[in-house]
Amino acid sequence: MSRFLNRLGVKIFISYLLIVLLVVIVLALAVSLSLPSVFERHMAGMGSSMGAMMGRPGSIMTQSLFTNFRAAVREAITVAALVAVGAALIASLVVSRQVLRPVHAMTLVSQRIAQGHYTERVPLPGDIQETHPDELAQLALSFNQMAGNLEQTENMRRQLIGDITHELRTPLTIIKGTMEGLLDGVLPPNEENYQLVHQESDRLQRLVDDLQELSRVESGAYDLHRLPVAVSDLLTATRRRLERQYEEKGVGFQVIVPAGLPAVLADEDRASQVLLNLAGNALQYTPSGGQVTISARQVGREVEFKVQDTGIGIPQEHLPNLFTRFYRVDKSRSRAGGGSGIGLTIAKHLVEAHQGRIWVESPGTGGGSTFYFTLPVV
Ligand code: ADP
């Protein structure tokens, strides 16, 4: 019984019925209260013309006329009430069908999505863009938006598993192949082969570390202690960390610290991590004899950091994807350098966590690259 009463259609019918009952009660009360005086007034009006036939007000004839008239009015109100209840029933059926159709559709679609069919969507009226959607259409729109986000997340999850599997496979295959060759005596047990195994396990280790860091920044599971930081501190710390590696490779390294720059509001460690990543990449993708320049300038309420190199450059078609995880322009070259294609994705997350932006410009292969990112001034 309570299940039946809980149905939306029944609730709509009951609400209509209550209104009908209320109207009938008010009508009956108003009629019974006003009927005697109204009747007398009309009788008085008719008295002059029909006086002889009807007799004086208060006579037996008049009283019987009043009783019959009241019975007729009651009967008419009863019939009207029954018709109104019937109309309420039909109206509630029509309205509840209208209301319930999209709700039913959403229930079915949500069940399909729960079963893993992420492409399912609630059908929307074709003219929804032109007309103002009602609350139910808005609910259906939001529902479809949520389904779209779920689908995207699911695709990203699948893509991530595929990417990780792919990344793990190469070093594992090399380690396994080399070890089998060593065990079978096909490969000589020399330093070169042991180095190869060591190098690949090192790559695996780095990949796992990068993935852990990526998952941490993607889920926001890290603390961001934003404090005023001097731009010169960030730039000189990067120079100190990488100076020796630049020297070893024979790449010029210039850090330009302009005077009078305002402090930025940043987590010093995280901002340094971004700069180190960009300056490290610049070193990796610039041949010896090249030049890398790091500088900063104020643009409005932000400080724009710039890492410019004279290295191998990046073809135009790769620029939009560079900050996507596992994306590498030249897979073999980057892999040889130990790159997993995660560094820039992490840098992007960290910069955006500071309400900054990160982007890259390059005239193409051989033309060098310039990476920019911004941090808000205090
Ligand atoms: P990786 O660990 O492979 O370097 P990143 O996310 O840091 O991963 O970089 C993604 C890709 O962007 C690199 O594989 C490389 O192809 C390209 N790239 C990054 N920095 C530079 C640069 N300064 N010059 C040329 N290519 C670059």
Side-chain angles (χ1 to χ4, degrees):
M1 181 68 180
S2 74
R3 241 182 104 186
F4 175 73
L5 285 177
N6 256 339
R7 302 184 76 146
L8 191 60
V10 177
K11 283 181 183 168
I12 291 175
F13 174 65
I14 291 175
S15 68
Y16 279 29
L17 200 62
L18 282 177
I19 293 170
V20 168
L21 282 179
L22 204 68
V23 169
V24 169
I25 289 169
V26 171
L27 195 67
L29 269 175
V31 165
S32 66
L33 285 177
S34 61
L35 201 61
S37 62
V38 171
F39 183 77
E40 261 177 37
R41 191 153 37 82
H42 281 274
M43 283 306 287
M46 290 161 72
S48 53
S49 52
M50 299 179 74
M53 207 170 73
M54 306 288 288
R56 286 190 328 279
S59 70
I60 295 180
M61 181 119 178
T62 312
Q63 273 178 8
S64 132
L65 197 62
F66 177 70
T67 313
N68 280 322
F69 179 64
R70 196 164 56 186
V73 169
R74 270 194 198 142
E75 203 178 308
I77 289 178
T78 311
V79 171
L82 288 175
V83 172
V85 169
L89 183 63
I90 293 169
S92 62
L93 274 177
V94 173
V95 171
S96 62
R97 280 193 114 188
Q98 284 289 107
V99 173
L100 286 180
R101 205 180 312 131
V103 177
H104 269 312
M106 270 183 267
T107 312
L108 285 179
V109 171
S110 64
Q111 281 166 354
R112 295 271 301 156
I113 289 176
Q115 287 161 4
H117 304 278
Y118 292 97
T119 50
E120 292 281 343
R121 295 289 179 279
V122 179
L124 295 168
D127 58 350
I128 197 152
Q129 299 304 336
E130 292 113 58
T131 57
H132 293 291
D134 64 11
E135 284 85 347
L136 277 171
Q138 272 173 15
L139 179 63
L141 269 175
S142 312
F143 185 90
N144 282 350
Q145 231 164 37
M146 185 198 71
N149 289 348
L150 272 178
E151 187 185 357
Q152 205 181 347
T153 312
E154 178 61 13
N155 286 343
M156 275 170 62
R157 193 183 65 84
R158 279 198 201 130
Q159 174 89 37
L160 180 64
I161 292 176
D163 287 341
I164 293 174
T165 316
H166 179 79
E167 294 300 319
L168 290 176
R169 191 169 291 130
T170 316
L172 278 177
T173 311
I174 296 174
I175 293 172
K176 191 163 172 259
T178 314
M179 290 309 288
E180 276 171 5
L182 286 169
L183 284 171
D184 296 346
V186 180
L187 290 176
N190 57 18
E191 195 188 332
E192 191 190 333
N193 286 322
Y194 288 129
Q195 269 295 341
L196 189 62
V197 173
H198 184 261
Q199 207 177 311
E200 291 303 318
S201 26
D202 209 34
R203 191 193 307 282
L204 277 179
Q205 172 80 57
R206 240 172 307 153
L207 178 63
V208 171
D209 289 348
D210 280 356
L211 278 173
Q212 195 178 23
E213 178 71 357
L214 178 68
S215 113
R216 212 178 299 144
V217 295
E218 274 192 337
S219 61
Y222 63 98
D223 295 325
L224 206 63
H225 300 293
R226 296 176 68 186
L227 294 168
V229 183
V231 174
S232 55
D233 287 355
L234 288 173
L235 294 178
T236 44
T238 310
R239 174 173 45 201
R240 233 177 294 123
R241 290 279 296 275
L242 293 173
E243 226 163 21
R244 208 170 53 85
Q245 293 175 39
Y246 269 81
E247 257 173 45
E248 278 171 8
K249 192 172 174 183
V251 174
F253 192 28
Q254 195 185 7
V255 177
I256 302 171
V257 189
L261 272 186
V264 288
L265 188 63
D267 182 312
E268 192 166 354
D269 289 345
R270 296 302 184 176
S272 292
Q273 192 179 343
V274 175
L275 263 175
L276 266 178
N277 182 276
L278 297 182
N281 276 351
L283 173 64
Q284 187 178 346
Y285 299 106
T286 303
S288 57
Q291 175 72 33
V292 173
T293 310
I294 309 183
S295 59
R297 63 177 183 138
Q298 185 175 4
V299 182
R301 299 292 303 150
E302 290 177 323
V303 169
E304 181 186 277
F305 292 81
K306 180 175 170 186
V307 180
Q308 187 170 24
D309 67 56
T310 58
I312 61 169
I314 302 159
Q316 287 293 313
E317 67 270 22
H318 292 286
L319 292 178
N321 302 316
L322 228 55
F323 298 93
T324 310
R325 62 164 111 87
F326 298 116
Y327 195 87
R328 287 175 301 222
V329 176
D330 180 346
K331 303 215 181 315
S332 53
R333 184 197 287 259
S334 173
R335 202 189 286 282
S340 54
I342 295 178
L344 287 179
T345 316
I346 294 175
K348 184 171 189 276
H349 275 287
L350 291 178
V351 169
E352 286 175 357
H354 284 87
Q355 273 87 49
R357 294 165 294 122
I358 186 166
W359 69 99
V360 56
E361 288 170 7
S362 173
T365 312
S369 323
T370 310
F371 284 80
Y372 299 88
F373 74 94
T374 62
L375 291 176
V377 299
V378 175

